[in-house]
């Protein structure tokens, strides 16, 4: 059988918050773009029910806009989002209706002229004289050779970079993954009444920091909220052996849909989600934990008595695996100091939020000021023609604890797309692109690089 050969300027692998804006931005700059995705939908973790956290910084200033904001505006126009709301715990929350985001993502790619290839996964790559030349993808039994001038690895796990032999780091203990699910028929008012009468369910024993006003009144005031709490109850139930999860809080993300919430509460310890055996174990555990967790909520938490599971996500939510090393690497000390260097291509402001992969704890450090992510964190240091976007960029573990939130990944993605398109335009490597030109294009298109 002949292998089909395809040729593109920019090939983006992965269509999550890192990949989607990269493909759109590159196409809008005139590049011929292909985005490859293993699923039958695009959006990655952004369509799992998670809220977009920290479009705003701790002081309420907007730090991410550009393509990320364009998606929010389109969601608002369809009544599938309420915009950004300050949150005493997460800087800001922006809850969204994930299925509508899927539709908008397809539409926006179509309008920008991005070609999409679904149900395909790279199985091999060709690297010649340290330059990534093509990826071979398999889909429905057919193998395709896809040649590109620039490849953007937006798989979250850096799968393509790994296959190409790029340098990477991976912590010994990784943040634990979570299998997200959706609950229907929650009686919110009854739950808020319970919280009002039991405010101790909103305190975290100093283990999770949150500002004043993260209380029943805050949740009641708007559907645009994320609930993190019930620590006291969960700890008591764990003592009694009646709580199936290795964590200390219950988290739900409110949906714009009545009575519906997305639950972010399973936890799977000692999992390396870039290893298919661990991945399989976590997904198996996740399904089993979910039903037990819902039974526990129905039995012990007022408002949840009649709730039901309406969806279990197709993919495990993965917080941390490989970080691909770039010509620059951003480290925790720099973001704690709020450094915004000259070559900044995206701002981040979310707190350093590291869920322990070993036990039930979470490490948090609030960031008072936004920080800048340098262009070089998106460019592989040893494989030419390879860029990274989203969660797998060149940062240390502390930075990942912050830069992994979706608005930041989207801003990174937009920059990766612009950088890739400029490399194609001038027939140079991504490492040779003038990052001031990338910055100018980002700013001209409404992106924020300084508050
Ligand atoms: C449980 C959990 C809760 C979180 N909570 C929040 C939150 O509340 N708010 C927030 O802003 N952020 C949150 N995050 C962080 C955020 O969701 C991720 O860091 C972000 O989605 C990373 O974007 P990405 O594009 O790099 O990866 P992903 O969103 O994982 O997207 C990667 C895409 O690549 C595809 N892909 C992967 N491998 C391959 C392959 N080999 N071939 C083809 N396609 C491939 C995947 O199917 C997917 O579509 C959370 C993360 C997790 C796991």
């Amino acid at each position: 059988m002949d292998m089909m050969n395809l040729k593109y300027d920019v090939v983006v692998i992965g269509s999550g918050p890192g990949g989607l804006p990269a493909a759109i931005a590159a196409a809008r700059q005139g590049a011929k773009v292909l985005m490859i995705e293993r699923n039958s939908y695009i959006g990655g973790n952004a369509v799992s029910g998670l809220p977009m956290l920290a479009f705003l910084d701790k002081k309420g200033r907007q730090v991410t806009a550009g393509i990320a904001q364009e998606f929010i505006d389109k969601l608002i126009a369809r009544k599938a989002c309420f915009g950004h709301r300050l949150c005493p715990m997460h800087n800001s929350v922006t809850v969204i209706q994930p299925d509508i985001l899927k539709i908008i993502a397809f539409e926006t790619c179509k309008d920008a002229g991005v070609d999409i290839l679904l149900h395909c996964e790279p199985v091999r790559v060709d690297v010649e004289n340290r330059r990534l030349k093509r990826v071979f993808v398999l889909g429905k039994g057919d193998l395709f050779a896809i040649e590109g001038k620039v490849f953007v690895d937006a798989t979250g796990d850096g799968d393509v970079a790994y296959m190409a032999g790029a340098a990477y780091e991976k912590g010994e203990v990784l943040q634990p993954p979570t299998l997200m699910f959706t609950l229907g028929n929650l009686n919110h008012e009854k739950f808020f009444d319970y919280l009002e009468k039991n405010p101790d369910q909103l305190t975290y024993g100093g283990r999770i920091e949150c500002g004043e006003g993260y209380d029943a009144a805050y949740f009641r005031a708007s559907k645009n909220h994320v609930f993190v709490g019930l620590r006291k109850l969960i700890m008591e139930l764990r003592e009694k052996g009646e709580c199936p999860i290795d964590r200390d809080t219950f988290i739900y993300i409110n949906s714009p849909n009545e009575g519906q919430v997305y639950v972010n509460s399973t936890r799977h310890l000692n999992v390396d989600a870039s290893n298919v055996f661990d991945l399989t174990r976590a997904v198996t555990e996740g399904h089993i934990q979910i039903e037990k967790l819902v039974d526990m909520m129905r039995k012990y938490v007022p408002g949840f008595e009649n709730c039901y599971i309406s969806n279990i996500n197709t993919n495990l939510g993965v917080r941390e695996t490989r970080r691909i090393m770039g010509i620059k690497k951003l480290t925790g000390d720099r973001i704690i100091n709020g450094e915004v260097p000259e070559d900044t291509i995206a701002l981040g402001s979310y707190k350093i939020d590291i869920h322990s992969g070993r036990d039930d704890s979470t490490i948090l450090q609030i960031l008072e000021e936004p920080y800048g992510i340098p262009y070089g964190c998106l460019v592989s240091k040893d494989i030419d023609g390879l860029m990274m976007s989203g969660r797998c960029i060149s940062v240390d573990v502390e930075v990942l604890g912050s830069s992994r939130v979706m608005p930041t990944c989207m801003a990174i993605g937009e920059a990766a797309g612009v950088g890739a398109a400029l490399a194609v335009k001038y027939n140079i490597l991504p490492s040779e692109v003038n990052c001031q030109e990338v910055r100018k294009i980002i700013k001209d298109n409404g992106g924020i690089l300084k508050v």
Side-chain angles (χ1 to χ4, degrees):
M1 187 180 58
D2 289 340
M3 194 192 308
M4 190 190 288
N5 289 291
L6 303 171
K7 266 192 186 180
Y8 280 88
D9 292 333
V10 177
V11 181
V12 179
I13 308 98
S15 68
L20 198 52
I24 294 165
R28 286 180 181 167
Q29 289 302 310
K32 185 174 182 238
V33 180
L34 177 69
M35 183 170 70
I36 302 167
E37 168 58 52
R38 66 178 174 186
N39 286 325
S40 60
Y41 58 87
I42 57 176
N45 246 359
V47 295
S48 63
L50 288 168
M52 302 270 174
L53 295 182
F55 261 97
L56 312 184
D57 73 357
K58 178 122 196 313
K59 296 182 173 139
R61 298 168 296 190
Q62 183 149 359
V63 293
T64 305
I67 292 176
Q69 183 62 44
E70 178 186 328
F71 271 92
I72 298 302
D73 292 342
K74 288 178 175 175
L75 283 160
I76 293 171
R78 275 145 139 136
K79 301 196 179 358
C81 175
F82 309 106
H84 314 308
R85 180 186 185 206
L86 282 171
C87 173
M89 180 136 187
H90 303 94
N91 291 6
S92 70
V93 296
T94 312
V95 304
I96 58 170
Q97 225 287 20
D99 289 321
I100 306 300
L101 180 56
K102 284 182 194 164
I103 298 168
I104 291 170
F106 277 115
E107 264 178 18
T108 309
C109 284
K110 210 171 161 211
D111 290 348
V114 173
D115 286 350
I116 301 173
L117 190 58
L118 298 176
H119 304 287
C120 280
E121 218 175 293
V123 289
R124 184 160 66 84
V125 301
D126 263 356
V127 178
E128 292 168 14
N129 296 327
R130 71 171 262 167
R131 173 122 198 204
L132 180 56
K133 299 291 279 187
R134 56 189 72 77
V135 297
F136 296 87
V137 304
L138 187 66
K140 303 300 290 172
D142 284 323
L143 193 61
F144 307 96
I146 300 170
E147 204 174 302
K149 293 177 183 154
V150 180
F151 293 86
V152 180
D153 186 335
T155 59
D157 300 319
D159 291 354
V160 173
Y162 171 68
M163 281 189 270
Y168 70 92
E169 289 180 358
K170 190 164 62 172
E172 232 171 81
V173 180
L174 300 165
Q175 291 200 50
T178 293
L179 186 60
M180 296 270 304
F181 64 98
T182 310
L183 280 181
N185 207 28
L186 169 64
N187 184 334
H188 280 87
E189 288 307 314
K190 201 166 170 189
F191 179 54
F192 301 150
D193 289 347
Y194 164 77
L195 292 177
E196 231 154 44
K197 286 190 199 115
N198 299 273
D200 52 352
Q201 294 297 352
L202 288 163
T203 59
Y204 307 99
R207 293 186 68 174
I208 293 192
E209 284 186 46
C210 62
E212 291 286 303
Y214 194 64
D215 53 22
Y218 171 80
F219 301 123
R220 212 190 280 278
S222 168
K223 279 185 166 183
N224 199 359
H225 69 259
V226 174
F227 172 81
V228 184
L230 300 181
R231 179 165 194 271
K232 186 165 175 278
L233 177 74
I234 291 203
M235 295 317 260
E236 281 164 10
L237 292 174
R238 279 180 62 186
E239 287 263 302
K240 289 201 257 171
E242 288 194 55
C243 172
I245 48 169
D246 283 317
R247 64 181 300 158
D248 55 355
T249 48
F250 177 83
I251 304 178
Y252 80 69
I253 297 103
N254 207 49
S255 161
N257 294 344
E258 204 53 46
Q260 183 171 286
V261 293
Y262 309 106
V263 182
N264 170 4
S265 286
T266 74
R267 175 172 283 190
H268 312 289
L269 301 179
N270 303 308
V271 168
D272 173 354
S274 61
N275 167 311
V276 285
F277 295 100
D278 279 15
L279 202 50
T280 307
R281 170 166 62 83
V283 170
T284 308
E285 271 177 20
H287 281 83
I288 294 165
Q289 274 187 16
I290 285 172
E291 195 173 34
K292 291 185 178 154
L293 179 63
V294 174
D295 284 346
M296 180 196 92
M297 296 300 287
R298 283 194 194 114
K299 188 166 167 192
Y300 291 104
V301 187
F304 283 78
E305 297 88 342
N306 299 313
C307 67
Y308 56 84
I309 300 168
S310 59
N311 178 54
I312 297 180
N313 267 14
T314 328
N315 289 313
L316 188 71
V318 178
R319 293 185 172 84
E320 177 185 358
T321 50
R322 305 180 190 104
R323 287 164 283 114
I324 310 304
M325 291 300 105
I327 50 181
K328 288 225 169 149
K329 177 181 170 190
L330 185 60
T331 51
D333 51 325
R334 301 196 149 209
I335 74 165
I336 289 164
N337 289 335
E339 286 182 26
V340 181
E342 301 248 293
D343 52 353
T344 291
I345 47 71
L347 294 180
S349 73
Y350 187 60
K351 62 194 169 194
I352 297 173
D353 176 357
I354 304 178
H355 298 234
S356 170
R358 220 193 293 261
D359 56 36
D360 64 3
S361 62
T362 304
I363 299 163
L364 295 172
Q365 173 156 5
I366 306 278
L367 299 178
E368 295 298 334
E369 290 291 324
Y371 61 88
I373 299 171
Y375 174 74
C377 295
L378 282 49
V379 181
S380 164
K381 71 173 187 182
D382 47 11
I383 301 292
D384 293 335
L386 173 64
M387 298 186 75
M388 299 79 74
S389 181
R391 141 172 99 72
C392 62
I393 62 165
S394 182
V395 295
D396 70 7
V397 171
E398 277 184 304
V399 177
L400 175 70
S402 164
S403 64
R404 66 190 181 87
V405 289
M406 297 187 288
T408 312
C409 284
M410 292 187 82
I412 292 167
E414 182 165 351
V418 172
L422 289 179
V424 171
K425 179 176 169 191
Y426 298 123
N427 196 20
I428 54 176
L429 293 172
S431 55
E432 294 164 337
V433 166
N434 176 356
C435 72
Q436 296 308 326
E437 192 172 352
V438 178
R439 285 168 53 86
K440 181 170 185 315
I441 293 170
I442 291 171
K443 283 192 275 186
D444 287 349
N445 290 325
I448 300 174
L449 296 176
K450 195 170 167 221
V451 290

